[in-house]
Amino acid sequence: MSLNWSKRRPVYEPWYARLDRDPFAREATNTIRHGVRPPPAKPAKPELVTRPAVKTAPKPHTVAPGALCRKYALRTSDVEKARAALTGVTKAMIWCDGGCAPKNPGTMGMGVVILSDEVRVEFFGGGGRGTNNAAELAAAIMALEAIPDGCRTTVIAESTYLVDGMTKWRHGWRQCDFKRSGVDIPNADRWRKLDALAAGRSIAWKWVRGHNGDPMNGLADKLAVLGRTGGRHE
């Protein structure tokens, strides 16, 4: 406090009057504004390290002859030998597959695996020219020609053309003699033969996705390659 002698009363000076700077001015290095501290920074979240999925190669279908039957197994391209080996069999599972190469149509190959409690028959054939659908039907014909009459059978195939044809379409086709507008439907001769072989038999038709881990379906596919190449592995 100082005295103003002209008016004889005290004059109050602010406390910062004697400072050589403005105490309210923000310095360049001062990060705190007017004495208020900013909220503390939140710690950064650690980055999640995502590892790429490891792709494992599918296991090859390795089914040794005789692995799933009690007596013995036969691999042949002779229908008479296959029929003789299956004599007396009353219940069997059949996996059949067919295809052609190098293009469609091309050289056909058919493979069939017939499995019962007594015997397993690996049956292959082919060599003619046709389409994939024709080869699928030919493989089913081979299988039904080999099994004895009265044998209860489940046929498993990856061809929806074959399975749907035998479960949904063939009864309507039979009434029209497998013709449409007076003309034979595609593969009419094979459909007629397959229909005749299936008549009077107890057969269940089942679809399975191809190359999806079914070892017998994979084996039937390999047998179809043998049938197409005349018994040689590609």
Side-chain angles (χ1 to χ4, degrees):
M1 182 183 69
S2 62
L3 296 177
N4 189 337
W5 298 101
S6 61
K7 295 185 180 181
R8 301 293 191 277
R9 58 183 179 181
V11 177
Y12 294 91
E13 295 179 353
W15 61 269
Y16 53 83
R18 298 183 182 87
L19 298 178
D20 57 352
R21 61 181 178 83
D22 184 0
F24 300 103
R26 186 176 180 181
E27 297 179 0
T29 59
N30 184 15
T31 58
I32 302 176
R33 185 176 182 182
H34 302 304
V36 180
R37 294 183 178 274
K42 294 182 180 179
K45 294 183 180 179
E47 295 183 0
L48 296 178
V49 180
T50 57
R51 298 180 179 179
V54 179
K55 294 183 179 180
T56 57
K59 295 182 180 180
H61 301 303
T62 55
V63 181
L68 299 178
C69 62
R70 298 176 183 174
K71 191 175 179 182
Y72 67 97
L74 171 69
R75 175 175 289 185
T76 182
S77 60
D78 188 344
V79 65
E80 296 299 332
K81 290 182 179 180
R83 189 179 292 119
L86 293 165
T87 301
V89 172
T90 59
K91 185 178 180 181
M93 300 281 289
I94 297 176
W95 287 261
C96 58
D97 192 20
C100 61
K103 295 181 179 180
N104 186 18
T107 303
M108 294 193 304
M110 292 78 72
V112 176
V113 180
I114 304 174
L115 182 64
S116 69
D117 290 338
E118 298 83 12
V119 64
R120 186 176 92 195
V121 174
E122 301 171 5
F123 190 25
F124 62 90
R129 183 174 177 80
T131 63
N132 286 333
N133 287 337
E136 295 281 3
L137 297 181
I141 291 171
M142 284 173 46
L144 296 187
E145 285 180 337
I147 61 174
D149 294 335
C151 178
R152 292 184 292 115
T153 309
T154 300
V155 180
I156 303 171
E158 63 182 60
S159 170
T160 56
Y161 178 70
L162 169 63
V163 175
D164 288 347
M166 293 302 294
T167 58
K168 300 178 182 179
W169 306 331
R170 72 179 174 118
H171 304 290
W173 286 344
R174 188 193 305 134
Q175 295 178 0
C176 302
D177 192 24
F178 296 91
K179 293 183 179 183
R180 185 181 295 116
S181 301
V183 180
D184 283 349
I185 63 173
N187 303 305
D189 54 343
R190 290 184 172 87
W191 280 117
R192 291 189 184 101
K193 189 170 185 178
L194 191 57
D195 180 61
L197 288 170
R201 293 177 181 261
S202 176
I203 303 177
W205 299 86
K206 181 180 177 181
W207 176 83
V208 65
R209 187 179 299 278
H211 310 285
N212 199 38
D214 187 328
M216 289 302 174
N217 176 256
L219 180 57
D221 180 69
K222 291 183 179 180
L223 292 171
V225 175
L226 292 179
R228 187 174 65 245
T229 60
R232 302 186 309 274
H233 291 277
E234 287 187 340

